[in-house]
């Protein structure tokens, strides 16, 4: 277990705060003020977030607004939960299962074309339906996440993923393409309940020095699913002419994925919890304190779109992720054009792209947790993704598969490794807004650009060849790299995590009136709790510049 222990400076700051409060006869310096405040809020002070409240008017809610001692969390204690890694690993696994089902058709595009007797464009839609369903369902699902919480969304997503996998088992005849499309649409709806979760899980369950790594682990599962989706289908489903034998091989793949999806749904029921007992970071504690059940969902979205840095990130993230979606969907077609009969190696190239990207994502997450250089890291990774795409474009038709493996792996290391960076950078730029909304908007941008790029590049490949199609993506990645350079590194969550008691004193004096008759009834209990859990006290207010 990793506990966030206060450093010596924070202890000194607490002492100085106590002294300062003690000099004012209207203020009580008892520890219970900071841990479980019983305070009166001046009428001009807003006790929760709203679109009309100026940041400087935000203050800690009164005792009536605070969770009771029997509530799900104690906002005065900062402590990480032992369950956190189990939660993120289970999520990562069922995200992996869903991502596998997204790419399992495109990785053997030509085989499913022959089995169902449909066009390549029809098979492409089995992939693009994931992107299409996400766009209209994003806002309703993000609202459900805010309304009902992580556990409900996790159960719904894993249940739909399991249902879609079983529906596909009813499509094992050449004339039943509509049934396999139905199963894929159900899985695509499940994806809407999955893609926006990584940054939310990281913030709710992990400490300030773990959030980027945790987000990378959560995204890691999705990327691993895509990697397995490139590798396994060409092995399980060979390119044979006998329809009955082909149906048998397809059924094996469908049964395996349905069994795995069912097992993961059961694990979600057992393992997944709504939130830990204590907030894992100061930023999360403050987010709980400022949260209001009456907060306007639409006003939150309006505030996000007024944030110029976040709007730029939405565009740049969509360009990068959309290019990745198009490459993944069309990879089999591109490789087969230059290397006929190499379906298995086409899958292995896709595997190489994703595996190297997973490595890049993990390295980036660890690097961000250590350095907090979000803007610099994001810009460098984006530029290198563009360079990798250019090199891949120039080497695809050289006639040497081993060269394609190397260049595709280098491209994937940066292009796929960028995805969790975008999630975490968005949370930093938009704190204390909901992580579910910011992540959802990023993903919606990715789906829109993914559909545009997949259809456009597919048409370009059919009419002009693979190189013009890849150059088309290079142009938009260049635009994304330029726009990334204009994003200002306004790291709001980091500022909130660095908030110290010294910063809180002026706000106490100016905005909060503590009841003079407050008695030190909980001093011994809090001292024992601090000693046993080695936790730190959460700030009860925040300066204007931090919001």
């Amino acid at each position: 277990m990793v506990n966030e222990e206060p450093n010596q400076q924070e202890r000194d700051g607490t002492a100085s705060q106590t002294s300062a409060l003690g000099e004012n006869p209207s203020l009580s310096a008892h520890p219970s003020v900071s841990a479980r405040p019983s305070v009166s809020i001046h009428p001009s002070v807003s006790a929760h977030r709203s679109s009309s409240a100026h940041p400087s008017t935000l203050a800690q809610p009164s005792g009536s607004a605070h969770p009771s001692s029997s509530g799900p969390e104690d906002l005065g204690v900062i402590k990480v939960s032992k369950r956190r890694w189990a939660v993120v690993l289970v999520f990562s696994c069922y995200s992996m299962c869903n991502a596998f089902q997204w790419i399992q058709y495109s990785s053997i595009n030509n085989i499913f074309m022959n089995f169902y007797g449909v066009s390549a464009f029809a098979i492409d839609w089995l992939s693009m339906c994931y992107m299409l369903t996400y766009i209209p369902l994003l806002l309703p699902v993000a609202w459900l996440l805010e309304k009902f919480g992580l556990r409900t969304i996790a159960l719904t997503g894993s249940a739909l993923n399991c249902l879609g996998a079983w529906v596909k088992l009813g499509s094992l005849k050449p004339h039943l393409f509509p049934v396999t499309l139905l199963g894929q649409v159900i899985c695509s709806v499940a994806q809407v309940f999955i893609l926006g979760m990584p940054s939310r899980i990281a913030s709710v369950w992990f400490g300030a020095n773990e959030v980027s790594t945790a987000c990378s682990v959560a995204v890691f599962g999705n990327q691993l699913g895509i990697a397995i989706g490139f590798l396994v289908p060409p092995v399980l489903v060979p390119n044979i002419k006998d329809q009955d034998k082909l149906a048998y091989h397809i059924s094996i793949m469908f049964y395996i994925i349905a069994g795995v999806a069912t097992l993961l749904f059961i694990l979600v029921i057992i393992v997944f919890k709504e939130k830990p007992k204590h907030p894992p970071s100061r930023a999360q504690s403050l987010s709980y304190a400022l949260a209001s059940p009456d907060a306007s969902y639409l006003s939150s979205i309006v505030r996000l779109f007024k944030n110029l840095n976040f709007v730029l990130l939405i565009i740049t993230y969509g360009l990068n992720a959309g290019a990745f979606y198009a490459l993944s969907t069309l990879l089999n077609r591109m490789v087969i054009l230059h290397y006929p009969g190499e379906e298995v190696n086409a899958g292995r190239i896709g595997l190489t792209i994703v595996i190297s990207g997973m490595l890049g994502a993990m390295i980036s997450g660890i690097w961000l947790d250590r350095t907090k250089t979000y803007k610099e890291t994001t810009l460098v990774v984006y530029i290198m993704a563009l360079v990798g795409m250019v090199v891949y474009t120039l080497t695809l038709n050289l006639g040497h598969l081993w060269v394609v493996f190397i260049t595709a792996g280098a491209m994937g290391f940066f292009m796929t490794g960028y995805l969790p960076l975008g999630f975490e950078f968005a949370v930093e730029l938009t704190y204390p807004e909901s992580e579910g909304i910011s992540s959802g908007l990023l993903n919606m941008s990715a789906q829109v650009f993914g559909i545009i790029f997949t259809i456009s590049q597919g048409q370009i490949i059919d009419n002009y060849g693979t190189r013009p199609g890849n150059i088309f993506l290079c142009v938009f990645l260049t635009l994304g790299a330029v726009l990334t350079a204009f994003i200002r590194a306004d790291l709001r969550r980091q500022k909130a995590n660095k908030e110290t008691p010294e910063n809180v004193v002026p706000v106490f004096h100016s905005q909060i009136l503590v009841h003079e008759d407050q008695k030190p009834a909980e001093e011994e209990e809090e001292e024992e709790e601090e000693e046993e859990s080695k936790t730190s006290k959460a700030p009860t207010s925040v300066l204007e510049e931090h919001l």
Side-chain angles (χ1 to χ4, degrees), residues 501-519:
E502 288 95 328
N503 301 128
V504 181
V505 174
V507 187
F508 265 95
H509 281 283
S510 62
Q511 293 182 344
I512 302 180
L513 303 176
V514 184
H515 293 300
E516 295 182 23
D517 59 349
Q518 186 171 349
K519 302 300 180 181

Side-chain angles (χ1 to χ4, degrees), residues 111-418:
I111 296 176
F112 277 109
M113 284 172 55
N114 295 331
F115 180 73
Y116 288 117
V118 296
S119 66
F121 190 64
I123 300 299
D124 288 345
W125 270 110
L126 292 175
S127 171
M128 288 191 290
C129 72
Y130 264 61
M131 309 172 201
L132 187 63
T133 56
Y134 190 90
I135 298 169
L137 294 179
L138 163 65
L139 296 182
V141 172
W143 179 83
L144 290 173
L145 177 60
E146 294 302 302
K147 185 72 174 178
F148 298 103
L150 283 173
R151 177 173 168 82
T152 301
I153 298 301
L155 288 172
T156 305
S158 58
L160 288 172
N161 185 63
C162 178
L163 176 62
W166 284 105
V167 168
K168 292 177 186 179
L169 282 165
S171 65
L172 297 175
K173 298 291 182 181
H175 65 282
L176 295 177
F177 179 76
V179 178
T180 207
L181 178 61
L182 174 62
Q184 190 74 344
V185 169
I186 294 174
C187 291
S188 71
V189 175
Q191 174 220 211
V192 187
F193 290 83
I194 294 172
L195 286 187
M197 296 270 280
S199 57
R200 181 62 172 264
I201 292 175
S203 295
V204 170
W205 283 91
F206 288 84
N209 62 334
E210 299 174 327
V211 286
S212 296
T213 301
C215 185
S216 296
V217 171
V219 176
F220 180 92
N222 190 272
Q223 302 305 310
L224 181 60
I226 297 173
I228 297 174
F230 276 120
L231 178 66
V232 172
V235 175
L236 293 180
V237 185
N239 189 4
I240 55 179
K241 300 298 182 182
D242 191 312
Q243 293 284 59
D244 291 334
K245 290 183 178 180
L246 188 57
Y248 170 74
H249 288 289
I250 293 174
S251 71
I252 292 176
M253 180 173 68
F254 284 173
Y255 271 114
I256 291 175
I257 197 65
V260 171
T262 304
L263 175 62
L264 291 172
F265 175 57
I266 296 172
L267 285 177
V268 170
I269 296 174
I270 297 172
V271 174
F272 224 94
K273 301 297 180 184
E274 176 60 34
K275 64 175 71 172
K277 181 179 180 181
H278 304 292
S281 67
R282 286 192 171 93
Q284 191 62 25
S285 176
L286 189 60
S287 180
Y288 288 154
L290 296 176
S292 168
D294 300 324
S296 171
Y297 177 70
L298 291 179
S299 66
S300 177
I301 296 176
V302 170
R303 286 194 298 272
L304 288 176
F305 277 105
K306 289 181 178 179
N307 185 334
L308 178 60
N309 294 312
F310 179 63
V311 171
L312 288 175
L313 182 62
I314 288 177
I315 297 172
T316 59
Y317 183 92
L319 291 171
N320 185 290
F324 171 71
Y325 291 161
L327 278 173
S328 300
T329 302
L330 302 172
L331 181 64
N332 175 269
R333 194 191 307 183
M334 287 190 285
V335 173
I336 295 301
L337 282 174
H338 295 290
Y339 306 93
E342 295 287 355
E343 290 88 0
V344 174
N345 276 322
R348 289 171 180 168
I349 291 172
L351 173 70
T352 303
I353 292 175
V354 180
I355 291 294
S356 60
M358 289 160 53
L359 178 61
M362 293 301 298
I363 293 175
S364 299
I366 295 172
W367 173 260
L368 286 183
D369 278 332
R370 291 179 178 272
T371 66
K372 309 302 181 186
T373 54
Y374 289 86
K375 163 68 179 295
E376 296 83 355
T377 304
T378 301
L379 181 59
V380 169
V381 170
Y382 212 114
I383 292 173
M384 294 306 298
L386 170 61
V387 172
M389 183 68 200
V390 171
V391 174
Y392 169 77
T393 299
L394 297 175
T395 58
L396 178 61
N397 61 350
L398 293 181
H400 302 289
L401 267 176
W402 64 270
V403 175
V404 179
F405 272 94
I406 294 174
T407 57
M411 175 187 67
F413 182 87
F414 296 104
M415 181 177 287
T416 313
Y418 169 83

Side-chain angles (χ1 to χ4, degrees), residues 489-531:
D490 182 17
L491 307 182
R492 302 178 180 184
R493 183 174 63 179
Q494 294 306 315
K495 293 176 182 177
N497 278 324
K498 292 176 182 178
E499 181 73 13
T500 61
E502 288 95 328
N503 301 128
V504 181
V505 174
V507 187
F508 265 95
H509 281 283
S510 62
Q511 293 182 344
I512 302 180
L513 303 176
V514 184
H515 293 300
E516 295 182 23
D517 59 349
Q518 186 171 349
K519 302 300 180 181
E522 298 175 343
E523 183 174 1
E524 294 182 2
E525 176 186 344
E526 290 173 353
E527 289 177 352
E528 292 176 1
E529 191 173 21
E530 183 177 10
E531 180 179 355

